[in-house]
Amino acid sequence: MTVRVQEGDFDIGAEVRRITAGRTDIGAIVTFTGTVRDSNDSAPLASMTLEHYPGMTERELAQVEAEALQRWPLQASLIVHRIGTLKPGDNIVLVVTASAHRQDAFASAEFLMDYLKTRAPFWKNEVGADGAKVWVDARETDDRAAERWSKR
Amino acid sequence: MAVRILYFAWLREKVGKGEEIVDVPAQTRTVADLVQWLRTRGPEYEEAFKRPAVVRTALDQVHVKPDTPIGAAREIAFFPPVTGG
């Protein structure tokens, strides 16, 4: 179980190899990668800068991961989130879950992303193609996506 | 009571600083009380906190609600709803 916040890019293949190295009990690996879109609400995007709350970020992500472990029998999980300035097409976030069967890996990866989106203290500041800077607004759809896990 | 207060994203920009040590009056009981008191400290605070409903708070790095007592918190952070992922 690992949580990392970093400026640099990540290599999905290398991360998965690190998780599976030396073990044969894993039957399913799900990876989710979030990337920077070239537009937000139809406005063209030049770049975005991700700010976070050092300390609380790691703490929240570790807590979300611990909660996933209580709900699903995971053999491994990984959350990597980038900070700093990113351009369209760049990777932002990686979630990897590994379990014996695919249902647990799929469900827990979705859970981790939904909770990360509503709880982890990151903020996106977008720079438009016209040079205008805008703080991204939180989406209600993200709150609803996270809420459905608490109804179970 | 001396408390470390942190501001993130547009709250940091509006207040004009990322953190400060503040002597909070003893009668400041809850997070909402603290926000009300901060608003009296100057036009930049008034501007940053003019819509308290869109400001989120963490006490010692844990999400809390406006009616949460500040208690003995040493670090209080204010920020907009999160937008990572």
Side-chain angles (χ1 to χ4, degrees):
Chain A
M1 311 301 131
T2 311
V3 164
R4 274 189 353 241
V5 178
Q6 62 188 46
E7 284 197 16
D9 197 8
F10 47 79
D11 179 336
I12 301 163
E15 299 295 350
V16 170
R17 279 193 296 279
R18 203 167 298 150
I19 285 171
T20 56
R23 55 192 300 181
T24 51
D25 57 333
I26 293 172
I29 298 156
V30 165
T31 73
F32 170 84
T33 309
T35 58
V36 181
R37 269 190 311 278
D38 62 3
S39 67
N40 194 8
D41 297 332
S42 79
L45 180 89
S47 69
M48 69 162 64
T49 300
L50 271 144
E51 172 177 333
H52 80 128
Y53 181 175
M56 181 170 174
T57 307
E58 291 80 358
R59 193 182 169 132
E60 278 294 320
L61 292 178
Q63 202 173 322
V64 166
E65 207 175 36
E67 218 169 304
L69 269 178
Q70 284 187 343
R71 292 174 179 235
W72 294 279
L74 299 182
Q75 288 155 322
S77 65
L78 169 69
I79 302 172
V80 183
H81 204 299
R82 294 183 68 190
I83 50 168
T85 300
L86 304 174
K87 293 201 154 39
D90 284 351
N91 292 326
I92 306 177
V93 61
L94 173 68
V95 163
V96 183
T97 54
S99 59
H101 303 285
R102 73 179 184 283
Q103 288 88 349
D104 294 332
F106 273 127
S108 56
E110 205 170 3
F111 170 88
L112 287 176
M113 274 310 300
D114 285 347
Y115 266 55
L116 180 157
K117 283 226 150 220
T118 54
R119 279 173 44 181
F122 291 100
W123 301 276
K124 288 177 183 144
N125 190 223
E126 295 183 343
V127 182
D130 57 0
K133 288 188 175 184
V134 180
W135 288 100
V136 176
D137 274 330
R139 289 174 193 264
E140 261 179 55
T141 48
D142 288 337
D143 284 337
R144 285 199 295 276
E147 275 166 15
R148 72 200 158 114
W149 297 103
S150 56
K151 290 189 189 112
R152 296 188 172 184
Chain B
M1 179 179 59
V3 178
R4 184 172 177 230
I5 303 196
L6 306 179
Y7 308 97
F8 290 96
W10 54 255
L11 271 136
R12 171 175 46 74
E13 289 179 350
K14 286 183 196 277
V15 171
K17 59 186 110 176
E19 69 171 275
E20 60 183 330
I21 305 288
V22 169
D23 229 345
V24 177
Q27 65 270 30
T28 311
R29 207 180 67 82
T30 64
V31 166
D33 292 344
L34 177 60
V35 168
Q36 282 313 314
W37 178 73
L38 284 171
R39 287 175 72 167
T40 66
R41 298 183 75 223
E44 68 274 33
Y45 291 90
E46 173 58 28
E47 173 66 19
F49 289 99
K50 71 177 173 193
R51 288 160 58 220
V54 297
V55 176
R56 301 287 181 267
T57 311
L59 291 189
D60 289 331
Q61 307 190 352
V62 175
H63 289 289
V64 295
K65 302 276 187 209
D67 60 359
T68 305
I70 293 168
R74 286 186 300 180
E75 183 174 294
I76 304 178
F78 293 103
F79 44 80
V82 302
T83 56

